[in-house]
Amino acid sequence: MSIVTISHEMGAGGPEIGQQVAERLGYKYVDHELISDTARRYGLQEEKLEHLDETKPSLFERFDAETRRYITAMQTAFYEFAEQDRVVLMGRGGQWLLRGVSHVLRVRVMAPFDIRVKRLGTKLAGPMGEQASPRTVTEMVRRDDTEKAGRMRYLYDVDVVDPALYDLLINTEKLLTAAAIDVITDVCPPA
């Protein structure tokens, strides 16, 4: 495998795992860089790309030609990064966009909802120990789950949690980050 796509649930540890896998393998790690690069190369508004990357398009946006242009530009940039090979690509439907490509490892990083809420609450705690509202953190995780599911359904007509989309499912409640990194890197050749 020389391309790794990682789909993840908020609070499950996907970005941390992805960054460390890329570092260990000597691969390029691509996450938010994809949005910045796409905006710059195609002359698009970075804020609108971020919005479309994080949420499913509204009813109006679904019929808007500009929205389709932005989505097409994002997908094109995604393919261009994948074409470079030896890359870890975070989210953005990589498990679907690169289906059928034999040298891609499609990973899903997940954890039970309550554990993800607890982890995110800890991550969002301030330097003085102040805590984010448990209700706010719960709503953030719930909204992120809903938006990712809606976006995948709209763009590709698939369910993001369908295990058939992935080669490897990692539950970070059961498998520590270090072990998850070991599993992924054992499957992929170093750069």
Side-chain angles (χ1 to χ4, degrees):
M1 307 292 159
S2 55
I3 299 172
V4 179
T5 66
I6 299 181
S7 168
H8 63 95
E9 296 174 325
M10 178 181 271
E16 297 83 2
I17 291 169
Q19 288 172 339
Q20 291 180 44
V21 164
E23 186 176 300
R24 187 180 295 177
L25 292 172
Y27 285 16
K28 182 174 184 156
Y29 176 79
V30 179
D31 192 357
H32 296 290
E33 172 186 353
L34 181 75
I35 294 170
S36 301
D37 185 70
T38 303
R40 184 180 38 76
R41 288 193 302 135
Y42 293 99
L44 304 174
Q45 295 177 7
E46 191 167 336
E47 296 78 27
K48 179 153 182 171
L49 277 173
E50 286 176 359
H51 165 73
L52 290 172
D53 184 54
E54 295 170 359
T55 62
K56 68 179 179 180
S58 67
L59 183 60
F60 172 75
E61 289 172 328
R62 292 177 195 181
F63 297 103
D64 179 38
E66 182 184 28
T67 298
R68 291 301 315 159
R69 185 171 75 100
Y70 273 67
I71 290 170
T72 300
M74 280 286 286
Q75 291 171 340
T76 300
F78 186 90
Y79 284 128
E80 290 169 351
F81 275 106
E83 187 177 51
Q84 294 172 18
D85 221 25
R86 301 207 179 281
V87 65
V88 174
L89 297 162
M90 293 302 297
R92 294 170 186 85
Q95 71 278 20
W96 178 251
L97 288 171
L98 299 177
R99 69 193 182 284
V101 178
S102 62
H103 60 284
V104 174
L105 178 65
R106 294 158 203 79
V107 179
R108 174 80 172 158
V109 178
M110 57 193 202
F113 184 84
D114 58 327
I115 289 173
R116 295 187 293 126
V117 169
K118 182 178 177 183
R119 287 179 184 164
L120 186 61
T122 301
K123 188 175 184 178
L124 295 176
M128 304 300 275
E130 60 273 16
Q131 297 294 314
S133 158
R135 182 185 297 168
T136 301
V137 176
T138 298
E139 184 54 37
M140 285 175 67
V141 173
R142 185 172 288 121
R143 184 177 40 237
D144 188 70
D145 288 352
T146 301
E147 291 296 332
K148 283 179 180 171
R151 190 170 54 253
M152 286 297 289
R153 203 173 305 108
Y154 167 72
L155 292 174
Y156 310 114
D157 195 29
V158 296
D159 184 357
V160 70
V161 299
D162 179 0
L165 294 174
Y166 307 98
D167 303 309
L168 180 60
L169 300 170
I170 295 177
N171 179 347
T172 59
E173 175 192 32
K174 305 292 183 190
L175 199 60
L176 298 175
T177 299
I181 293 163
D182 288 342
V183 168
I184 295 169
T185 57
D186 284 350
V187 176
C188 300

